[in-house]
Amino acid sequence: MKRHLPNAVTCLNLLCGCLALTNIFAGRLEIGAWFVAAAAAADFADGLLARALRVSSAIGKDLDSLADMVSFGVVPGAIFFQLLTRSAGEGGLPEWAPYFGFLVSIFSALRLAKFNNDTRQTTSFIGLPTPACTLVVASLPLILAYDQFGIAPVILNPWLLLGLTALLSGLLVAELPLFALKFKTFRWADNRRRFIFLLLAAGLLLGLKAAAVPLVVLLYVLLSVPKTAVR
């Protein structure tokens, strides 16, 4: 029975992704964003549970990628589509411009396919993980909903949205080594980079709330750069 528990949590990830999509296409982006957060929590928990129970299977690996393709592939494309639909008129963009948002869905599929077949990514990542990309995108509706800094006009700039779509799509498949948040031990010497990241990320989230999410992902990339330079 315990062999199937991680897969059940993975299915919860998929369910949250489906619920996020239904709300996003209904125009309830804020609710969709919270379902994305729940999907991300389930995605983290299934791997943690599998390691704790010491169970793994080829089906579990494939199921995880299929769930991720919905929650962290289709969902961010749908959010970009909705945001670009709202803002396209302001930038004089053509009617088809919002569909450009699904570029991130295509590159998410490429990212997941590469991950499943790249033996270099067993203990770290190469390219931005799809959950990290999606959390950046899902933070945008939350920033708009709780706009304590008055940056809604910036977020809804269609050129910024198009640029962010292109940037995230590129980072998903970039040959950029990034550390994984997997703790084999809890010693400072073995996890210095992880502890520094978690402490700084917690401070940013406490101070800036949803607006901190893009900064947290940027911090994650920047803290990985010294590791890349050493290699």
Side-chain angles (χ1 to χ4, degrees):
M1 184 65 183
K2 72 176 184 178
R3 199 161 54 94
H4 300 290
L5 288 176
N7 290 346
V9 178
T10 301
C11 290
L12 179 61
N13 166 12
L14 176 58
L15 175 62
C16 289
C18 293
L19 294 173
L21 275 176
T22 58
N23 281 281
I24 290 164
F25 283 122
R28 299 186 292 269
L29 272 67
E30 181 187 347
I31 297 175
W34 287 115
F35 275 117
V36 168
D43 182 59
F44 181 78
D46 65 2
L48 198 65
L49 187 59
R51 289 190 293 273
L53 296 176
R54 297 181 180 179
V55 294
S56 63
S57 68
I59 290 178
K61 182 179 179 181
D62 289 341
L63 181 63
D64 187 68
S65 291
L66 290 169
D68 284 358
M69 186 56 222
V70 176
S71 299
F72 311 125
V74 181
V75 167
I79 293 174
F80 270 136
F81 173 81
Q82 290 288 62
L83 291 175
L84 282 165
T85 299
R86 292 183 183 183
S87 63
E90 300 177 14
L93 297 177
E95 291 184 0
W96 52 264
Y99 292 99
F100 186 81
F102 287 108
L103 185 68
V104 76
S105 300
I106 295 170
F107 278 86
S108 293
L110 292 171
R111 171 73 178 84
L112 290 166
K114 284 181 63 179
F115 178 78
N116 279 354
N117 294 278
D118 192 342
T119 56
R120 300 173 297 169
Q121 299 192 57
T122 54
T123 59
S124 61
F125 299 117
I126 297 178
L128 187 67
T130 53
C133 171
T134 303
L135 287 174
V136 172
V137 181
S139 71
L140 301 180
L142 295 178
I143 294 172
L144 292 172
Y146 308 101
D147 187 17
Q148 56 182 324
F149 303 107
I151 58 176
V154 177
I155 298 295
L156 288 175
N157 184 306
W159 295 104
L160 175 71
L161 292 170
L162 289 172
L164 186 58
T165 302
L167 175 63
L168 291 173
S169 297
L171 286 174
L172 283 166
V173 295
E175 287 290 313
L176 179 64
L178 301 170
F179 65 89
L181 289 173
K182 294 179 180 179
F183 290 85
K184 293 182 179 179
T185 70
F186 288 98
R187 293 185 301 177
W188 172 264
D190 296 332
N191 301 285
R192 180 174 55 184
R193 198 186 309 268
R194 295 179 180 88
F195 283 130
I196 291 173
F197 169 72
L198 290 173
L199 287 171
L200 292 176
L204 286 170
L205 289 168
L206 285 172
L208 302 177
K209 297 182 174 59
V213 175
L215 296 177
V216 168
V217 174
L218 176 62
L219 175 67
Y220 172 55
V221 173
L222 291 177
L223 282 176
S224 297
V225 170
K227 184 178 179 180
T228 306
V230 170
R231 288 186 175 186

